[in-house]
Amino acid sequence: MFAKVNGIQLAYTDEGEGLPMVLLHGFPLSRGAWSKQVEAFKGRHRVITPDLRGFGESESTSGIVSMQRLAEDIHALTEQLATGPVILAGHSMGGYVALAFANAFPKALRGLMLVATKAGTDSSEAAAARHALAEKVRAQGPAVVVDAMAPKMLAAGNADARMAAAVRGIMKNASTEGVIATLLGMAERPDENDRLDQIRVPTLVIAGSEDTVIPPSESEALAKAIPGAQLVLIPRAGQLVAFEQARAFNDAVRNWLAWGSHGLARSLSSSATDFLT
């Protein structure tokens, strides 16, 4: 499906009924990264998985695309789809977008899942590396990013060739413009650490124990800073934890949803009882 959002065509999948979950993919992936969660949760939830602008089947724009702009796209999509407040999950770059969304649109949230991500900004060296990679993509195309990132998505000991090929398939439709624009946007994203204590919805922080892209220590820091957040580290999983260890990931989400409906009910409005799986 497609929606006209903030001047672009945004592709998305919308399956199931019930409490809405919006799942945001990381860089340089597409909504297929959440395919195993769609299947697991659509029986009792409305599961929406958009392709962020410039990725998958969504249109791209040139220049710099900030995490705030991507968050505005998602907010506009949820308003168009009349979801009401959502459980918002963000993986890696999608987590940067989810934090920007939480800051800009707190009333549009019922819950937050931060997956293999962090709140801090880039160091000057990391930002410079993103700019250099953007120039390389401009000259050679997005395949250079796929070649660099795909091997880092899974745990080092994962020898599943079929899964590795599937990861590359989820990356293959990233556009040159989209990759460049989000690289520049990530390089300039603000530090969200000072805003973490303002998050007032049930929050799950989850990561793979063998993630070498964003170390699990970043997830531990997030969970400590967000009031009432729950932390889950999944063994034998790298950066793409929801895809690589889907069963363990989905079990952790189900447990958190049930925990949110009971243990955190006092911190939510009366709609908190909807946090049942």
Side-chain angles (χ1 to χ4, degrees), residues 146-251:
V146 174
D147 290 342
M149 292 296 296
K152 300 177 182 179
M153 290 291 105
L154 305 178
N158 189 331
D160 188 334
R162 183 175 296 181
M163 183 177 288
V167 170
R168 284 184 169 270
I170 296 168
M171 295 179 173
K172 69 179 182 180
N173 288 331
S175 70
T176 297
E177 280 190 338
V179 169
I180 292 171
T182 51
L183 278 169
L184 299 178
M186 286 190 286
E188 298 185 7
R189 73 185 189 280
D191 192 320
E192 296 284 355
N193 278 297
D194 290 344
R195 299 170 176 171
L196 296 178
D197 62 357
Q198 299 171 29
I199 294 174
R200 292 292 183 269
V201 294
T203 300
L204 173 64
V205 181
I206 188 165
S209 65
E210 299 182 37
D211 188 353
T212 59
V213 178
I214 299 179
S217 58
E218 295 283 0
S219 293
E220 293 170 354
L222 276 173
K224 287 180 181 179
I226 298 172
Q230 186 177 113
L231 173 68
V232 177
L233 298 180
I234 295 181
R236 300 181 301 281
Q239 163 70 193
L240 198 53
V241 54
F243 192 81
E244 184 174 17
Q245 295 292 350
R247 179 177 295 181
F249 181 92
N250 294 342
D251 285 347

Side-chain angles (χ1 to χ4, degrees), residues 27-110:
F27 176 90
L29 299 154
S30 60
R31 68 185 190 271
W34 296 108
S35 59
K36 299 177 183 181
Q37 285 64 55
V38 174
E39 289 304 311
F41 292 102
K42 68 181 183 180
R44 304 193 73 174
H45 292 270
R46 183 182 181 186
V47 187
I48 300 166
T49 54
D51 284 331
L52 297 175
R53 68 164 68 197
F55 297 90
E57 297 178 288
S58 289
E59 289 183 345
S60 60
T61 47
S62 58
I64 299 174
V65 173
S66 67
M67 303 302 101
Q68 176 70 25
R69 169 58 64 86
L70 294 175
E72 290 167 357
D73 288 347
I74 300 307
H75 183 252
L77 178 65
T78 60
E79 292 215 316
Q80 195 170 135
L81 298 180
T83 62
V86 302
I87 300 170
L88 183 65
H91 166 247
S92 194
M93 181 183 73
Y96 307 155
V97 179
L99 286 171
F101 186 105
N103 179 57
F105 310 109
K107 293 182 179 179
L109 280 181
R110 283 191 180 182

Side-chain angles (χ1 to χ4, degrees), residues 132-142 144-145 175-176 179-180 183:
L133 183 55
E135 289 306 310
K136 193 171 181 179
V137 172
R138 198 184 308 277
Q140 301 178 35
V144 296
V145 169
S175 70
T176 297
V179 169
I180 292 171
L183 278 169

